[in-house]
C-alpha cells in the first residue's frame, strides 16, 4: 500500500491550526556578518513525509535559500534507521533536519552534535471513531481502541492523559496494540475495529479513503472524535498544544549563526504560506511525495497545529513535555533531560 513507508513514524508527526504565529521569526539579535559563510555549494534539508516537512519542500521549490547556496535539496527520511544515518553521516550530513522533538533530544543525549532551532508542530493526534457521540477520553471507557507504537509517543501521551483524568489505561480501556498507524487504518476501513488513535496526515488519509468509492460501500463514515491536544490542555490545565516536532541544525551550519537565522526566517515564511494556501500546499507536496494525495494534505493543513516558535521560546514547554515522557519512558528522550545547550540561542551561538 502507498502508505507503507509512513508506518514507522507517522504516529509521531504532522502539523497546523487556523493561523500561524510568526512573531518569533526574528528570534534574536542578528549574528555578526563574519559568521556568514561564502555561498555554499549545497545545502541539504531533510524530513519525514509529514507536515513539519511541508515548509522545507516549499523552500526548495520557491528558491527561498538560493542566495546562500548554489543547490538546495530536500532529502526525505522514510524511517528511523534512515534518520540515524543522516544524523551520523560525518562525510555528508544533512544541514537542517525535521524530526520529533523527543527524537532530537534522544540523539543529542547520545552524543550527536545538533541544536534544536524551532518547533512548528504542536500536536496532530486524534482519536478516530465510527461513533460521532464520543467527545472526550472518558467517553472511550470500556471500548477497544487501536493503539500504534506500544510504549512510544502516542501511547505515552494517551496514558498520561488517562491517568490525569483518573482512569487506568489498562483497566478502563481495552487497548489493542498494533504495529503501525497503517495497520490501525486498515482495520478501521475493513470494519474490524471502531476506534483508533491516529496522527495527521494519516487521519485525513483514512477519512478520504472511507468516503471514496468503492471503499465507502463497506466502511461507514469515520469521525474526528477527540482532538488529543484539546484534552491535553483541558486535563493538564495548559495550552492545548504539544511540542511534537521541529527542526534541528547540525554539521557545518552550527558554526554559522547568521545562516541559521536566515533559515529560520525562510522556514517561518514558508510555513505561513502553507497555512494560508492549503490547496496549493497539497498540490506542491503531492508532486514530491506520491504517498500522499493533494486532498489529504490540504485537509491535514486545515486542522493541524502549526505555529513557528524558536527553540529558545519553546524551551519551557519542551522541558515540561520531556519531563512527562521521562517519568513514563526515559528512553524516549535518551535517558535524561537534555542540557540547556540543546536549545539554540542566537545570542550565545558561536
Amino acid at each position: 500500500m502507498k502508505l507503507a513507508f509512513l508506518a514507522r513514524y507517522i504516529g509521531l508527526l504532522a502539523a497546523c491550526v487556523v493561523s500561524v504565529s510568526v512573531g518569533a521569526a526574528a528570534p534574536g539579535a542578528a549574528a555578526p556578518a563574519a559568521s556568514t559563510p561564502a555561498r555554499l555549494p549545497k545545502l541539504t534539508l531533510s524530513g519525514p513525509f509529514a507536515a513539519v516537512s511541508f515548509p522545507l519542500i516549499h523552500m526548495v521549490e520557491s528558491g527561498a535559500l538560493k542566495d546562500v547556496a548554489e543547490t538546495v535539496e530536500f532529502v526525505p527520511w522514510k524511517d528511523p534507521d534512515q534518520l540515524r544515518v543522516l544524523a551520523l553521516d560525518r562525510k555528508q550530513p544533512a544541514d537542517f533536519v525535521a524530526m520529533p522533538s523527543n527524537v532530537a533530544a534522544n540523539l543529542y543525549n547520545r552524543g550527536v552534535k545538533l541544536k534544536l532551532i524551532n518547533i512548528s508542530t504542536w500536536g496532530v493526534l486524534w482519536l478516530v471513531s465510527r461513533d460521532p457521540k464520543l467527545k472526550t477520553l472518558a467517553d472511550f471507557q470500556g471500548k477497544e481502541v487501536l493503539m500504534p507504537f506500544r510504549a512510544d509517543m502516542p501511547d505515552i501521551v494517551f496514558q498520561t492523559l488517562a491517568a490525569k483524568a483518573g482512569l487506568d489505561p489498562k483497566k478502563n480501556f481495552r487497548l489493542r496494540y498494533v504495529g503501525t498507524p497503517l495497520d490501525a487504518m486498515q482495520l478501521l476501513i475493513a470494519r474490524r475495529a471502531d476506534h483508533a488513535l491516529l496522527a495527521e496526515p494519516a487521519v485525513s488519509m483514512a477519512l478520504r479513503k472511507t468516503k471514496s468509492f468503492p471503499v465507502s460501500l463497506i466502511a461507514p463514515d469515520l469521525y474526528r472524535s477527540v482532538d488529543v491536544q484539546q484534552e491535553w490542555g483541558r486535563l493538564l490545565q495548559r495550552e492545548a498544544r504539544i511540542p511534537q516536532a521541529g527542526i534541528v541544525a547540525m554539521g557545518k551550519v552550527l558554526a554559522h549563526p547568521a545562516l541559521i537565522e536566515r533559515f529560520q526566517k525562510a522556514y517561518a515564511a514558508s510555513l505561513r504560506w502553507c497555512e494560508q494556501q492549503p490547496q496549493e500546499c497539497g498540490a506542491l507536496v503531492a508532486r514530491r511525495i506520491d504517498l500522499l494525495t493533494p486532498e489529504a494534505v490540504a485537509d491535514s493543513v486545515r486542522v493541524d497545529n502549526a505555529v513557528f516558535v524558536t527553540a529558545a521560546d519553546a524551551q519551557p514547554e519542551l522541558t515540561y513535555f520531556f519531563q512527562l515522557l521521562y517519568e513514563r519512558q526515559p528512553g524516549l528522550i535518551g535517558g535524561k533531560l537534555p542540557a540547556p545547550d540543546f536549545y539554540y540561542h542566537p545570542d550565545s551561538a558561536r
Side-chain angles (χ1 to χ4, degrees):
M1 184 178 281
K2 290 179 71 177
L3 287 176
F5 291 131
L6 291 170
R8 296 182 63 186
Y9 58 82
I10 199 170
L12 303 179
L13 297 172
C16 145
V17 115
V18 178
S19 63
V20 178
S21 171
V22 294
S35 67
T36 305
R39 194 162 182 256
L40 299 171
K42 184 170 72 171
L43 198 63
T44 300
L45 318 180
S46 182
F49 297 150
V52 70
S53 297
F54 298 169
L56 298 179
I57 294 172
H58 180 258
M59 289 164 71
V60 172
E61 293 289 333
S62 66
L65 295 176
K66 63 183 179 181
D67 59 316
V68 299
E70 294 179 15
T71 301
V72 181
E73 64 176 0
F74 174 74
V75 177
W77 57 262
K78 299 182 177 67
D79 56 51
D81 291 335
Q82 189 174 5
L83 173 57
R84 281 191 290 270
V85 171
L86 284 167
L88 299 174
D89 188 342
R90 295 185 178 182
K91 293 183 178 180
Q92 292 183 317
D95 300 301
F96 295 99
V97 185
M99 64 180 68
S101 58
N102 72 295
V103 174
N106 191 307
L107 290 171
Y108 173 86
N109 281 332
R110 296 181 185 281
V112 177
K113 292 184 179 180
L114 58 79
K115 285 184 181 292
L116 182 70
I117 64 173
N118 70 53
I119 292 291
S120 64
T121 296
W122 292 86
V124 288
L125 298 173
W126 291 79
L127 278 164
V128 179
S129 173
R130 299 194 195 286
D131 186 346
K133 298 187 297 294
L134 307 182
K135 299 299 183 182
T136 69
L137 205 66
D139 292 340
F140 283 80
Q141 289 185 79
K143 301 184 185 301
E144 180 185 76
V145 178
L146 299 182
M147 180 69 66
F149 303 128
R150 180 192 289 266
D152 213 322
M153 179 82 83
D155 189 17
I156 295 298
V157 169
F158 181 91
Q159 291 197 38
T160 298
L161 294 180
K164 192 65 177 178
L167 303 171
D168 186 327
K170 296 181 180 179
K171 295 180 180 179
N172 294 110
F173 304 92
R174 292 187 290 127
L175 299 182
R176 179 180 172 187
Y177 287 101
V178 295
T180 70
L182 173 64
D183 298 327
M185 191 172 70
Q186 290 175 324
L187 290 170
L188 285 173
I189 292 174
R191 301 182 68 179
R192 295 171 58 191
D194 294 326
H195 320 287
L197 182 66
L198 293 176
E200 287 292 355
V203 177
S204 293
M205 291 292 288
L207 295 177
R208 284 279 175 176
K209 283 180 176 292
T210 55
K211 293 180 180 179
S212 62
F213 182 84
V215 178
S216 59
L217 298 179
I218 63 169
D221 288 347
L222 294 173
Y223 301 91
R224 296 177 186 272
S225 294
V226 178
D227 181 338
V228 174
Q229 290 64 233
Q230 291 298 321
E231 286 291 84
W232 174 275
R234 184 178 71 85
L235 293 170
L236 297 177
Q237 297 185 339
R238 300 178 63 83
E239 282 195 71
R241 63 185 200 171
I242 304 170
Q244 210 168 331
I247 307 292
V248 304
M250 56 199 320
K252 61 180 179 292
V253 301
L254 289 174
H256 303 291
L259 177 56
I260 294 176
E261 292 301 294
R262 177 73 181 82
F263 173 89
Q264 292 274 69
K265 292 178 181 179
Y267 185 87
S270 286
L271 177 61
R272 180 173 56 205
W273 180 88
C274 290
E275 294 299 301
Q276 294 177 346
Q277 311 288 339
Q279 287 183 292
E280 291 83 351
C281 179
L284 182 98
V285 170
R287 287 199 298 269
R288 282 266 184 166
I289 305 173
D290 61 3
L291 305 178
L292 300 176
T293 66
E295 297 80 10
V297 171
D299 289 347
S300 70
V301 168
R302 292 187 182 101
V303 298
D304 64 9
N305 287 301
V307 181
F308 178 90
V309 182
T310 65
D313 289 339
Q315 185 172 345
E317 288 177 273
L318 284 161
T319 300
Y320 179 85
F321 182 51
F322 290 157
Q323 182 64 44
L324 288 180
L325 296 181
Y326 176 79
E327 290 171 358
R328 288 192 168 269
Q329 190 72 24
L332 286 175
I333 59 170
K336 60 182 178 181
L337 295 180
D341 187 58
F342 168 68
Y343 303 94
Y344 175 73
H345 290 263
D347 56 351
S348 62
R350 294 177 175 83

